[in-house]
Amino acid sequence: MNGLPDREAMDREAIEQLQLERLEATLNRVQRNVPFHRRRFTEAGFDAEDLRSLADLRRLPFTTKRDLRDNHPSGLFAVPLREVVRVHASSGTTGLATAVGYTRNDLATWSDLVARVLVAGGVGKDDVVQVAFDYGLFTGAFGFHQGAERLGASVIPVSSASARRQVDILRDYRSTALVCTPSHAMTLADAALDAGIRPGELSLRFGLFGAEPWSESMRAELQAKLKLVATDNYGLSEVGGPGMAGECLERNGLHVAEDHFLVEVVDPETLAPVPDGTTGELVVTTLTREAQPVIRFRTRDLASVTRVPCACGRTFARMSRVKGRTDDLILLKGARVFPSEIESVLLEVEGTEPHYEIELTRGDGRDEATVRVEAASPGDEPLRATVERRLASALGVSVRVELVPPRTLARSEGKARRVVDRRRV
Ligand code: DLL
């Protein structure tokens, strides 16, 4: 299959040579076919023919979500509409969802890339893959569906059935791999427990979770509750959806498909590149997308990248877990807090459940945060005080904690909404 281990184990020089060739082709194509990019190149005094090294890419301006919105839905297409065979869209968490087009070749590449992520996460052609993402404009379900089919696995497209029904399907169809968001996996784990189904009764072996931030403690919890090996995978619709990066079984960073994507990490304020290992904003350039290439797209996701080869033999750069989004950052009494940091603490404290919500309010001109977390004994005052103390010491700022009875916080079927911001209401 195109792009399985030999490609993923290329040496660095060969990777960079391939990237340069593909970048040259991409820049030439967008310069020729997309007025937006042509104008930006001219403004920067850049001609695609001048590209000599990967570093020359830095001469080009960044593309932002705003640029995609201004050109929605098809203004950034680099091919005529008749060559676009599929359209998906971003989830629109931070405003207007923008369209993403695919040519026939884009769909084939996408399937290969997701198949790679599945293989890296332990899945093979004998597996039964239950896809519990919502089928629709969201890229997650179709991406994994096609990737699993490409691999030759059996696909169960459950989409968004009720949690109880999904658990029955997990059991009855003996699904061996579960693909969804980590928060949804947690909902399924609880639903299994409620239905009196012990994890051992399920046939699950691998969980491929992504599309939202999660933590190592959440991984530990999911692995224990569902008796599977859980890997993280990352992507965004603007670059095609899932398939951009995924963990191998070492679970030590997400391998970026560097033959199809070029990643940079920049300081989100100065936009200057940061060294490997330093957290910054991830910037992505697509190297093979035909319908809608993106050039230096600012993802707003914060992560670091390392190019140290992995113990699994893959040489592609690895990105860290996404630490948060630049726009998720909560500024609380001068401290900078990410929801994922709160999650890590909550999951470490014995007695609380991995279901929580952070409510932000403004009282007396000051921002306040209330963390609501489910607990089996919501009246347990010492437990509440412990959580408050642990959060204060981890975050460097105090937040109010409320324990609420199990199953009282809203469950989402797709991406979890952890932060309820009432400051602007
Ligand atoms: O969420 C694509 C995807 C589908 C990835 C299925 C993985 C699995 P969007 O809806 O455009 O695309 O949302 C992209 O979700 O910029 C991140 O902020 C967040 N995100 C995606 N994967 C992860 C992850 C899909 N593994 C946005 N960890 C991205 C943290 C993630 N955040």
Side-chain angles (χ1 to χ4, degrees), residues 3-4 14 38 80 91 102 195 210 218 236 319 329 333 337 371 389 417:
L4 282 179
R38 187 162 52 240
S91 23
Y102 302 75
M218 180 105 162
L236 56 158
M319 59 181 266
L329 182 68
K333 302 169 202 162
V337 175
V371 175
R389 203 173 48 247
R417 268 201 108 65

Short mmCIF file of all heavy atoms in Angstrom, two decimals, residues 3-4 14 38 80 91 102 195 210 218 236 319 329 333 337 371 389 417:
data_model
loop_
_atom_site.label_atom_id
_atom_site.label_comp_id
_atom_site.label_asym_id
_atom_site.label_seq_id
_atom_site.Cartn_x
_atom_site.Cartn_y
_atom_site.Cartn_z
N GLY A 3 2.65 4.32 0.82
CA GLY A 3 2.89 5.11 2.02
C GLY A 3 2.94 4.35 3.32
O GLY A 3 2.83 4.95 4.36
N LEU A 4 3.07 3.03 3.29
CA LEU A 4 3.22 2.36 4.58
C LEU A 4 4.71 2.26 4.95
O LEU A 4 5.51 2.91 4.31
CB LEU A 4 2.43 1.07 4.59
CG LEU A 4 0.93 1.38 4.81
CD1 LEU A 4 0.09 0.14 4.80
CD2 LEU A 4 0.67 2.16 6.08
N ALA A 14 16.10 12.65 2.68
CA ALA A 14 15.16 12.23 1.63
C ALA A 14 13.78 12.85 1.89
O ALA A 14 13.09 13.27 0.96
CB ALA A 14 15.07 10.71 1.59
N ARG A 38 -1.95 34.24 -5.56
CA ARG A 38 -1.11 34.98 -6.52
C ARG A 38 -0.86 36.40 -6.00
O ARG A 38 0.26 36.88 -5.99
CB ARG A 38 -1.79 34.99 -7.89
CG ARG A 38 -0.91 35.59 -8.98
CD ARG A 38 -1.37 35.21 -10.37
NE ARG A 38 -2.77 35.50 -10.59
CZ ARG A 38 -3.70 34.58 -10.90
NH1 ARG A 38 -3.37 33.31 -11.03
NH2 ARG A 38 -4.95 34.95 -11.11
N PRO A 80 -10.93 23.55 -11.09
CA PRO A 80 -12.31 23.91 -11.44
C PRO A 80 -13.29 23.08 -10.61
O PRO A 80 -12.98 21.94 -10.24
CB PRO A 80 -12.42 23.54 -12.92
CG PRO A 80 -11.03 23.26 -13.39
CD PRO A 80 -10.19 22.95 -12.22
N SER A 91 -15.55 22.28 11.84
CA SER A 91 -16.67 22.15 12.78
C SER A 91 -17.26 23.49 13.23
O SER A 91 -18.30 23.52 13.85
CB SER A 91 -16.30 21.29 13.98
OG SER A 91 -14.93 21.27 14.17
N TYR A 102 -12.36 18.35 -2.09
CA TYR A 102 -11.46 17.22 -2.39
C TYR A 102 -11.61 16.82 -3.86
O TYR A 102 -12.74 16.70 -4.34
CB TYR A 102 -11.82 15.96 -1.57
CG TYR A 102 -11.79 16.15 -0.08
CD1 TYR A 102 -12.81 16.84 0.56
CD2 TYR A 102 -10.75 15.64 0.70
CE1 TYR A 102 -12.81 17.01 1.93
CE2 TYR A 102 -10.74 15.81 2.07
CZ TYR A 102 -11.76 16.50 2.69
OH TYR A 102 -11.76 16.66 4.04
N ALA A 195 -25.02 -0.60 31.81
CA ALA A 195 -25.76 -1.72 31.21
C ALA A 195 -25.28 -3.05 31.80
O ALA A 195 -25.70 -4.12 31.36
CB ALA A 195 -25.59 -1.71 29.70
N GLY A 210 -9.45 11.24 18.89
CA GLY A 210 -8.91 12.53 18.46
C GLY A 210 -10.02 13.51 18.25
O GLY A 210 -11.17 13.28 18.66
N MET A 218 -6.56 11.05 31.12
CA MET A 218 -7.77 10.59 30.44
C MET A 218 -7.44 9.31 29.66
O MET A 218 -8.24 8.37 29.61
CB MET A 218 -8.23 11.68 29.47
CG MET A 218 -9.46 11.33 28.71
SD MET A 218 -10.84 12.22 29.39
CE MET A 218 -12.01 12.13 28.08
N LEU A 236 -7.09 18.53 10.97
CA LEU A 236 -8.09 19.60 10.93
C LEU A 236 -8.63 19.67 9.52
O LEU A 236 -7.93 19.35 8.56
CB LEU A 236 -7.51 20.93 11.40
CG LEU A 236 -6.29 21.51 10.73
CD1 LEU A 236 -6.24 23.01 10.96
CD2 LEU A 236 -5.03 20.88 11.32
N MET A 319 4.66 15.34 16.71
CA MET A 319 4.16 16.49 17.45
C MET A 319 3.67 16.02 18.82
O MET A 319 3.29 14.86 18.98
CB MET A 319 3.04 17.22 16.69
CG MET A 319 1.83 16.38 16.35
SD MET A 319 0.57 17.31 15.42
CE MET A 319 -0.47 17.88 16.79
N LEU A 329 -7.30 29.65 25.55
CA LEU A 329 -6.52 30.09 26.70
C LEU A 329 -7.40 30.93 27.61
O LEU A 329 -8.05 31.88 27.16
CB LEU A 329 -5.33 30.91 26.20
CG LEU A 329 -4.38 31.41 27.26
CD1 LEU A 329 -3.62 30.24 27.88
CD2 LEU A 329 -3.38 32.36 26.63
N LYS A 333 -7.24 36.10 36.42
CA LYS A 333 -6.50 36.88 37.42
C LYS A 333 -5.00 36.88 37.09
O LYS A 333 -4.16 36.60 37.95
CB LYS A 333 -6.71 36.29 38.82
CG LYS A 333 -8.17 36.22 39.24
CD LYS A 333 -8.34 35.40 40.50
CE LYS A 333 -9.74 34.87 40.65
NZ LYS A 333 -9.88 33.78 41.58
N VAL A 337 -4.33 29.76 31.77
CA VAL A 337 -4.77 28.41 32.09
C VAL A 337 -5.41 27.76 30.86
O VAL A 337 -6.20 28.40 30.17
CB VAL A 337 -5.83 28.47 33.22
CG1 VAL A 337 -6.42 27.10 33.51
CG2 VAL A 337 -5.24 29.07 34.49
N VAL A 371 -15.27 25.38 38.53
CA VAL A 371 -15.10 24.07 37.91
C VAL A 371 -16.13 23.15 38.52
O VAL A 371 -16.16 22.94 39.74
CB VAL A 371 -13.67 23.53 38.17
CG1 VAL A 371 -13.53 22.12 37.65
CG2 VAL A 371 -12.64 24.45 37.53
N ARG A 389 -7.70 22.74 46.30
CA ARG A 389 -6.30 22.97 46.67
C ARG A 389 -5.36 22.49 45.56
O ARG A 389 -4.43 23.17 45.18
CB ARG A 389 -6.02 22.23 47.99
CG ARG A 389 -4.86 22.79 48.76
CD ARG A 389 -4.70 22.17 50.13
NE ARG A 389 -4.77 20.71 50.10
CZ ARG A 389 -5.75 19.99 50.65
NH1 ARG A 389 -6.75 20.57 51.25
NH2 ARG A 389 -5.74 18.66 50.57
N ARG A 417 -17.82 20.19 24.96
CA ARG A 417 -17.71 21.63 25.23
C ARG A 417 -17.40 21.78 26.71
O ARG A 417 -18.26 21.62 27.55
CB ARG A 417 -19.05 22.31 24.95
CG ARG A 417 -19.17 22.85 23.57
CD ARG A 417 -20.26 23.93 23.46
NE ARG A 417 -19.73 25.27 23.30
CZ ARG A 417 -19.04 25.66 22.23
NH1 ARG A 417 -18.80 24.83 21.25
NH2 ARG A 417 -18.59 26.89 22.11
#
